[in-house]
Amino acid sequence: QMEETARTHPENISNLIMLAGAQIQLQQTNRAIELFNKALDNAGIKFPEAAAIAQYCAQIGNLAGMEKALRKVVALAPEDPLHRYYLASVEAVTGRTKEALADLQQALDLNTKRMAANPAAHNILDLVRADPNLNPIRALPEFHKLVTP
């Protein structure tokens, strides 16, 4: 039934995501990725849906899909430091140093603003300091300018 709905109502993002999740359970990751891409390409996608796709892609190790989903999340919530940090982490792992440093800079700037407005908010600096995905850029002087020990 979800397949039929996906064919007849491809704008139904929730159905695409549920169907993709079922495809993952069936080890049909290529089909899941195809469905996630349809959902991400839909102009009506919302933050929680894009974030869910990013999480699914992380679970199946699809860095390209995760990055695409995170780019959508960041576009939908540009003031959210956490997802911009996640994007920087993926960029670092995939060897895109310049982009990783730029997104990390933005994430930390947003984090500083958020912490000033709400000191009880989660400080992503703790994540940044411990994240092994950032190891490819950790030794760079630019990283040390952003993250003090």
Side-chain angles (χ1 to χ4, degrees), residues 5-127:
T5 302
R7 272 191 297 281
T8 58
H9 297 286
E11 75 285 354
N12 185 334
I13 296 168
S14 295
N15 181 69
L16 293 174
I17 294 171
M18 285 190 302
L19 179 56
Q23 295 299 313
I24 289 170
Q25 294 298 316
L26 297 170
Q27 311 249 330
Q28 300 295 319
T29 54
N30 288 341
R31 176 69 176 136
I33 292 165
E34 177 186 322
L35 292 163
F36 288 147
N37 282 328
K38 280 186 184 180
L40 289 168
D41 291 341
N42 186 310
I45 194 165
K46 303 281 189 262
F47 175 91
E49 296 162 333
I53 292 171
Q55 189 170 23
Y56 271 122
C57 288
Q59 288 172 0
I60 62 172
N62 180 342
L63 290 178
M66 185 178 173
E67 180 179 354
K68 182 176 181 178
L70 287 170
R71 287 197 185 288
K72 184 64 77 167
V73 168
V74 166
L76 293 168
E79 300 301 312
D80 175 24
L82 184 62
H83 288 89
R84 186 158 308 265
Y85 149 69
Y86 290 152
L87 178 58
S89 182
V90 170
E91 291 165 339
V93 165
T94 57
R96 291 195 323 286
T97 301
K98 183 178 176 184
E99 295 90 341
L101 288 166
D103 279 319
L104 184 59
Q105 171 75 61
Q106 255 188 304
L108 292 172
D109 290 347
L110 291 168
N111 183 62
T112 299
K113 288 178 190 171
R114 183 176 68 172
M115 295 301 295
N118 179 7
H122 181 71
N123 187 351
I124 67 164
L125 195 52
D126 298 332
L127 295 172

